[in-house]
Amino acid sequence: MKVIILEEGADLDALSCAYGVLLLYQDAYLLKPSLLSRRASEVFKRFKERFRILEELPQEFDLVLVDAHHVEEYKLPGVKEIYIFDHHPKAPKGFKGKVDEVGSATTLVVEELQRLNVDISPEDATLLALGIYEDTGSLTYEGTTERDALALAWLLKKGANLRTIREFLRESLSKEEIDFLSKSLVALEKLFIDGSKVVVFVLRSEEYNPDFLQVAYRLEDVKDADAFFVIVSVGSKTYLFGRGLKGRFDTSKILEAFGGGGHSFASAVKLENVSAERLKTLLVQLLKGENPAIRVRDVMNYPPFALREDMTVEEALISLAERNFAGAPVLDQEGRLVGVVYKKVLLKVAKLFPSKQVKDFMQTQFHTLSPEDFVWDAEAILSTYGEKLIPVVEDQKLVGVITRLDLMQTLIKQTEPLKPSHRKVQLPKEVEELARVVGKICQELGFKGYLVGGVVRDILMGRRIWDLDFVVEGDGIKVAERFAQHYRVNVHPFPEFGTAHLKVGDFKIEFATTRRETYPHPGAYPVVEPASLKEDLFRRDFTINAMAISVMEEDFGTLIDYFGGLRDLKDKLIRILHPLSFVEDPVRILRALRFAGRFDFKLSKSTEKAMLNALSMHLLKQASRGRLLKELTLAFREEKLLDILKLYRQYKVLEELIDGFQWSQDLELKLEKLKEVVSWHKIEFPDKKLEYGWLYLVILLEKVKGEEFLRDMSAPAWVRELYRTYKEQAKEVIRKLHQAKKPSEVYLTLKGFSEPFYLLLAIEESLRPKIVLYMEKLSKLKVDVSRFSGLKGKELGKAIENEKLRLMDETFTLT
Ligand code: ATP
Ligand code: MG
């Protein structure tokens, strides 16, 4: 009995060749193959019943190897003779079978079948032809010989079915697969590790697609790999799959680092709170044998510094100050962890109770971590509960401390540049001119300069540009000064921030020095230090705002996109750069909704989750009110204000910002109506430059005591006046307007109020005709004064007014 054993991951040529051997020898069997290449496995599935299969090796047999690379591995007990059918130059010789240098191993068996005049069916011919087609690239690969062509010719004569062959050999992916990939493939990296080729893919999709693994298998890059990993980010979850292809690479070992497991050839793990790009960075570092920080133990401060619960407030403060710590875990006499205490709290009570003890002011409700937890679990705790410090506990003992700063530093290390982008961005002409000048100046000074932030986003979106932000790796102010000289304009430097402002034509230009910002506490103004471009971008709010364009001569216009901003622009997503973003700066909550409204973008799932966390922590209440309201003012200037307000409603942000504020159906309706009024007003009175946003705010504040809020918002005087009038008089005016039967009554009711007030009144639809009549006609009515030439002063005024009233009642009618 002859037994064919296929190598693990055997390809289609090997399978076809094996089939030929079955045709050649009636006593031959195929040992059930364990793992075939994708194509071989598809063909095997389809033609399974044609193969004589053996589940287990018999006691004694002749071994047949086809297209095999490692004969020595098969010197098994019970093997009597060895047959080899192989076409590789290095194939072992001196065995039975047939070894020759041709394009495909199958050719060799086909020649034997031909020689022995074996009668084969069209299906047999098809199955055999597949091997030759595959291994010779349809007779086009180097190494193809005339003999392969002749073997193929014979198979065609025997009725090989071309249609079936085409179906299996389809080289390319289907259109759906290509669409899916082009939408979701974020990165693809090929690595060579100890002679193995490993491919890492990153896919991103807001919806789960069950086919992504299948698609990965079919990619050209995977076909000759020893293993591949697919990282898929779906919403806020990230999946990591590993597949070994030729039995030479154990993927489960790698996945264990992330808490996953499985077979040596197939393993998977599902993670929360960690982005796909970051996981890729970590995976690649692991594959390269580096030791990236994955678990809490890799980043925690050790040994931990702790305070004792019976220390006085004063002692504790000194202890913290010596080390410049913002807080510490607290231990009791037995060394058990009993609380966490913050300097901020102690400072507040220090004056009043200097000799009270730490335990009186410590937090006894707090989270702990184990050293085996993941770094991103720590981030999730910090961003969900707002803690600044987490004790790390093992066997109920304090073994370390993790702080927000540790996590931020880890995060930035785990943010890797996307592969250098060769994408060049075409700048608008006027911008390009200015940018080239900046580039030249940077060159002269030995700095590097970039356009950054909103302007890059707007250029990519093809929007109009007004503000140009440049950052300089070097000294932004110096560049600004030379730039100002060049254009003969004034420059306003702010040395403490490393920035300078100036204007050229209509462009407002800011120069900054690349910097890193750390926030002393949530929402505070940040502290600034110099840093690299990457760090400068990392401190920004959203991926779409965190791209740069080089303005240096050598790579002018090259897009620098570390965080996938371009892709998010295409997908219309607002995405924070890291999970701690909103905690770091709660103002970003408002910014996220402003951009979402302005561009009609959505929040990415993980961003939405982080935002909901931040809101439930009431971070908006803790943040710097000045900065929040300044941001809010910007929102009220937006064209799409109403959409932004809808988002505010959805996420309940105004409730956090305005005391006593509540949304209602009625309020939302009023705002919609106000929008109609505003659109009308813009068309009818295009010259009146009104800041309409304030009108919306007045309506929003109608039911609360809003005077103080308006003051905090630095609302202009006319807005505060309008608010007062609206609250005090609108009801009465509306009542009178309803009752007015004649144009003159309308006129008398409305006379003397301001235009914005009329717009607010016009929210009520039934009043609109009267208000429109007043604004467009009645208020502009002129009378011929020559008729009253005998009158003077008050009397003249009265006469004119009476004439007006008469005239308007005569000329106009109320509908
Ligand atoms: P706009 O079109 O409204 O001006 P912008 O994106 O230019 O939008 P700016 O407020 O002008 O926004 O800020 C410029 C850039 O500074 C932003 O693109 C962003 O990169 C960064 N930035 C602004 N505010 C924050 C913040 N609170 N946190 C982090 N980065 C910020
Ligand atoms: Mg801007």
Side-chain angles (χ1 to χ4, degrees):
M1 179 177 188
K2 299 183 179 59
V3 179
I4 312 163
I5 300 185
L6 288 177
E7 225 171 38
E8 248 188 283
D11 65 13
L12 190 47
D13 184 33
L15 186 74
S16 294
C17 184
Y19 186 70
V21 172
L22 295 182
L23 295 175
L24 205 53
Y25 306 111
Q26 283 315 301
D27 64 342
Y29 292 82
L30 174 66
L31 182 70
K32 195 178 172 190
S34 59
L35 192 69
L36 295 173
S37 79
R38 178 187 58 82
R39 260 195 204 147
S41 120
E42 279 172 7
V43 171
F44 184 66
K45 244 186 235 152
R46 169 85 73 90
F47 293 101
K48 204 166 185 169
E49 69 296 340
R50 306 189 72 86
F51 286 83
R52 286 192 298 277
I53 302 283
L54 214 55
E55 296 282 337
E56 265 170 45
L57 284 178
Q59 293 274 326
E60 280 201 337
F61 60 97
D62 291 341
L63 171 66
V64 186
L65 294 176
V66 295
D67 205 17
H69 306 270
H70 309 282
V71 183
E72 55 292 348
E73 284 176 27
Y74 296 95
K75 297 220 164 105
L76 304 161
V79 172
K80 293 190 298 185
E81 290 213 75
I82 295 183
Y83 288 69
I84 291 182
F85 289 87
D86 202 339
H87 66 123
H88 292 98
K90 283 195 206 131
K93 306 235 159 61
F95 295 97
K96 287 194 170 172
K98 193 169 180 183
V99 171
D100 236 336
E101 282 187 43
V102 287
S104 125
T106 308
T107 297
L108 300 173
V109 259
V110 170
E111 285 174 349
E112 286 305 292
L113 291 167
Q114 225 175 332
R115 188 173 63 85
L116 299 172
N117 231 336
V118 179
D119 191 25
I120 64 169
S121 71
E123 288 77 34
D124 296 334
T126 306
L127 233 170
L128 293 166
L130 277 166
I132 303 178
Y133 272 108
E134 152 115 343
D135 241 28
T136 62
S138 304
L139 303 181
T140 65
Y141 290 169
E142 300 299 325
T144 303
T145 65
E146 186 190 348
R147 287 164 63 183
D148 299 299
L150 288 172
L152 206 47
W154 185 68
L155 294 172
L156 289 173
K157 202 158 82 190
K158 293 282 173 188
N161 184 331
L162 287 172
R163 196 180 147 166
T164 310
I165 292 170
R166 265 201 316 277
E167 187 189 321
F168 281 111
L169 293 187
R170 198 182 57 207
E171 266 306 326
S172 50
L173 301 166
S174 70
K175 186 178 172 309
E176 288 75 22
E177 288 168 331
I178 292 172
D179 281 354
F180 169 71
L181 275 178
S182 69
K183 254 197 89 203
S184 51
L185 187 67
V186 176
L188 188 162
E189 194 153 326
K190 287 170 255 180
L191 302 160
F192 293 89
I193 293 144
D194 299 336
S196 297
K197 178 180 171 189
V198 179
V199 185
V200 179
F201 299 97
V202 180
L203 303 174
R204 190 154 89 189
S205 142
E206 288 286 296
E207 304 295 330
Y208 193 88
N209 181 329
D211 286 335
F212 55 76
L213 254 187
Q214 272 322 305
V215 177
Y217 267 110
R218 314 186 46 150
L219 287 175
E220 212 48 51
D221 277 305
V222 162
K223 286 186 193 148
D224 62 342
D226 294 281
F228 71 95
F229 290 89
V230 186
I231 299 171
V232 196
S233 133
V234 183
S236 65
K237 295 187 181 56
T238 305
Y239 301 80
L240 169 60
F241 298 89
R243 292 287 183 273
L245 295 175
K246 295 175 189 159
R248 267 197 278 165
F249 197 96
D250 187 353
T251 61
S252 66
K253 279 237 176 61
I254 296 285
L255 264 81
E256 269 166 26
F258 298 105
H263 304 287
S264 61
F265 55 88
S267 46
V269 58
K270 176 172 141 189
L271 294 160
E272 294 248 10
N273 307 317
V274 53
S275 74
E277 288 85 349
R278 181 175 176 194
L279 201 54
K280 191 207 90 184
T281 307
L282 293 171
L283 177 66
V284 169
Q285 289 174 356
L286 266 178
L287 287 168
K288 289 181 178 160
E290 294 162 17
N291 280 317
I294 294 175
R295 309 274 181 163
V296 162
R297 72 172 122 78
D298 306 326
V299 300
M300 70 186 187
N301 294 289
Y302 171 87
F305 164 76
L307 294 168
R308 286 265 302 270
E309 64 172 355
D310 55 0
M311 277 173 128
T312 65
V313 168
E314 224 170 8
E315 288 167 339
L317 275 173
I318 291 171
S319 230
L320 287 172
E322 274 169 3
R323 295 167 178 80
N324 202 13
F325 286 165
V330 181
L331 305 178
D332 68 7
Q333 275 93 326
E334 272 87 56
R336 282 176 304 219
L337 177 68
V338 289
V340 172
V341 78
Y342 290 103
K343 184 153 106 190
K344 217 167 115 196
V345 176
L346 295 179
L347 279 174
K348 263 192 207 147
V349 299
K351 278 250 163 63
L352 292 169
F353 317 104
S355 51
K356 274 213 173 191
Q357 295 182 333
V358 165
K359 68 172 162 216
D360 300 316
F361 303 105
M362 69 188 184
Q363 256 173 258
T364 51
Q365 297 282 321
F366 55 90
H367 289 86
T368 61
L369 287 162
S370 128
E372 293 310 306
D373 284 331
F374 293 109
V375 171
W376 35 93
D377 295 331
E379 289 159 12
I381 290 182
L382 283 183
S383 61
T384 310
Y385 303 101
E387 301 182 33
K388 287 174 210 118
L389 177 157
I390 312 176
V392 182
V393 176
E394 191 170 33
D395 299 330
Q396 308 194 358
K397 281 192 74 167
L398 180 73
V399 293
V401 173
I402 275 199
T403 67
R404 190 191 296 162
L405 208 63
D406 301 327
L407 293 177
M408 286 296 294
Q409 276 160 0
T410 309
L411 265 165
I412 183 134
K413 272 190 221 132
Q414 299 182 356
T415 307
E416 195 195 85
L418 298 179
K419 286 283 148 260
S421 139
H422 297 294
R423 187 185 295 270
K424 294 263 177 177
V425 180
Q426 180 70 47
L427 306 188
K429 209 162 167 291
E430 325 81 80
V431 176
E432 169 161 359
E433 249 177 66
L434 296 164
R436 291 219 183 252
V437 173
V438 175
K440 245 206 206 106
I441 295 171
C442 288
Q443 186 79 40
E444 285 164 18
L445 292 168
F447 302 153
K448 292 219 147 133
Y450 309 87
L451 268 173
V452 281
V455 54
V456 174
R457 174 200 71 213
D458 289 344
I459 288 173
L460 292 169
M461 290 177 93
R463 291 172 82 100
R464 187 85 209 252
I465 312 291
W466 302 104
D467 294 353
L468 294 182
D469 292 328
F470 291 97
V471 296
V472 174
E473 278 179 318
D475 183 345
I477 296 183
K478 244 188 202 158
V479 177
E481 278 163 353
R482 290 221 185 162
F483 184 82
Q485 263 170 19
H486 183 274
Y487 283 99
R488 296 170 197 287
V489 295
N490 291 325
V491 57
H492 309 281
F494 300 90
E496 65 274 37
F497 298 112
T499 63
H501 297 191
L502 47 82
K503 270 192 89 169
V504 174
D506 283 338
F507 290 112
K508 277 169 45 195
I509 306 180
E510 182 184 319
F511 287 89
T513 308
T514 47
R515 62 200 184 181
R516 165 195 314 147
E517 296 191 348
T518 48
Y519 297 75
H521 61 85
Y525 282 99
V527 182
V528 178
E529 314 163 86
S532 67
L533 176 71
K534 175 177 154 192
E535 281 179 286
D536 184 278
L537 294 173
F538 188 67
R539 79 184 166 86
R540 288 168 189 266
D541 47 6
F542 311 113
T543 57
I544 59 166
N545 288 344
M547 291 179 275
I549 295 175
S550 170
V551 299
M552 304 307 289
E553 175 112 52
E554 76 247 19
D555 59 353
F556 189 88
T558 302
L559 183 71
I560 296 156
D561 177 13
Y562 292 116
F563 312 106
L566 188 61
R567 151 157 236 103
D568 285 334
L569 262 190
K570 290 200 176 121
D571 293 349
K572 295 171 166 286
L573 286 173
I574 307 288
R575 185 190 305 276
I576 45 177
L577 304 192
H578 58 79
L580 297 176
S581 188
F582 290 127
V583 177
E584 215 192 346
D585 182 8
V587 172
R588 292 174 188 161
I589 296 171
L590 296 181
R591 289 180 64 84
L593 300 178
R594 177 156 69 91
F595 290 120
R598 181 202 289 176
F599 299 131
D600 197 14
F601 280 20
K602 288 205 160 49
L603 305 182
S604 84
K605 293 226 170 92
S606 47
T607 304
E608 181 175 47
K609 195 171 144 197
M611 178 182 289
L612 290 171
N613 278 337
L615 285 165
S616 68
M617 278 190 269
H618 302 295
L619 283 184
L620 284 180
K621 282 204 159 68
Q622 295 166 32
S624 143
R625 190 143 175 96
R627 289 188 60 227
L628 279 173
L629 296 190
K630 211 164 159 197
E631 168 55 37
L632 197 63
T633 315
L634 295 179
F636 278 91
R637 285 202 202 129
E638 294 274 346
E639 193 62 36
K640 298 275 213 69
L641 171 59
L642 202 59
D643 297 305
I644 298 171
L645 290 176
K646 281 187 183 149
L647 291 168
Y648 284 178
R649 178 174 192 178
Q650 186 184 337
Y651 293 100
K652 301 198 177 68
V653 296
L654 293 178
E655 287 85 338
E656 297 283 310
L657 294 172
I658 307 172
D659 274 344
F661 179 84
Q662 262 189 330
W663 277 102
S664 66
Q665 203 57 45
D666 179 50
L667 180 53
E668 179 143 7
L669 208 69
K670 270 192 176 167
L671 295 172
E672 301 260 7
K673 295 258 154 83
L674 177 57
K675 189 179 172 189
E676 293 170 14
V677 176
V678 165
S679 310
W680 163 78
H681 190 256
K682 275 186 194 162
I683 294 168
E684 289 299 314
F685 301 92
D687 302 334
K688 302 221 162 137
K689 293 251 162 5
L690 241 180
E691 290 182 43
Y692 295 100
W694 295 113
L695 303 186
Y696 291 86
L697 185 58
V698 167
I699 297 298
L700 284 167
L701 295 175
E702 187 182 351
K703 294 266 159 60
V704 301
K705 293 204 183 74
E707 291 82 3
E708 204 183 319
F709 189 79
L710 285 174
R711 210 193 47 224
D712 292 350
M713 288 272 284
S714 314
W718 70 264
V719 176
R720 284 189 260 170
E721 178 64 34
L722 174 67
Y723 181 67
R724 205 170 313 126
T725 315
Y726 186 70
K727 278 189 81 155
E728 287 166 7
Q729 303 192 42
K731 265 215 182 98
E732 178 63 11
V733 174
I734 288 171
R735 196 185 55 78
K736 280 196 192 155
L737 268 186
H738 274 303
Q739 285 175 353
K741 297 281 181 308
K742 293 190 291 185
S744 57
E745 289 168 21
V746 170
Y747 175 81
L748 290 172
T749 309
L750 290 178
K751 206 180 116 187
F753 289 107
S754 68
E755 184 132 337
F757 184 67
Y758 301 141
L759 297 184
L760 294 184
L761 296 177
I763 287 176
E764 189 157 335
E765 258 163 299
S766 60
L767 295 178
R768 261 180 229 173
K770 289 177 175 166
I771 294 166
V772 171
L773 179 70
Y774 176 83
M775 289 173 70
E776 291 185 342
K777 302 277 168 25
L778 306 184
S779 64
K780 294 177 183 164
L781 199 70
K782 294 269 182 301
V783 294
D784 177 9
V785 288
S786 61
R787 291 170 46 198
F788 309 111
S789 54
L791 299 174
K792 278 208 185 89
K794 263 195 186 160
E795 294 206 337
L796 174 64
K798 207 146 183 215
I800 293 177
E801 188 71 3
N802 281 334
E803 175 57 10
K804 250 194 204 172
L805 296 178
R806 193 194 59 75
L807 195 63
M808 62 180 66
D809 285 339
E810 192 184 278
T811 321
F812 305 107
T813 47
L814 297 183
T815 43

